[in-house]
């Protein structure tokens, strides 16, 4: 999380807050749920949307 926050120019705490808010709005319960959602949306992998 720290490395991602640095790349985005954010503090790790801010990034955690954004993640928590997004998960709440999407109704996701765990980090695994969030990763599954990202894969289904095409946000991970080769960069091409599905």
């Amino acid at each position: 999380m720290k490395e991602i926050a640095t790349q985005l120019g954010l503090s790790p705490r801010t990034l955690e807050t954004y993640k928590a808010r997004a998960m709440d709005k999407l109704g996701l319960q765990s980090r695994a749920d969030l990763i599954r959602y990202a894969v289904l949306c095409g946000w991970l992998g080769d960069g091409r949307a599905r």
Side-chain angles (χ1 to χ4, degrees):
M1 192 62 77
K2 185 177 179 181
E3 184 178 328
I4 294 168
T6 300
Q7 289 178 5
L8 295 174
L10 301 170
S11 76
R13 175 78 179 175
T14 298
L15 192 56
E16 284 288 345
T17 299
Y18 290 169
K19 179 180 70 102
R21 288 179 181 171
M23 288 177 65
D24 187 49
K25 288 180 180 184
L26 294 168
L28 304 174
Q29 300 296 316
S30 67
R31 181 173 280 185
D33 290 340
L34 182 60
I35 292 169
R36 276 190 286 274
Y37 184 86
V39 169
L40 288 173
C41 289
W43 296 343
L44 303 176
D46 62 8
R48 292 182 286 176
R50 296 172 194 204

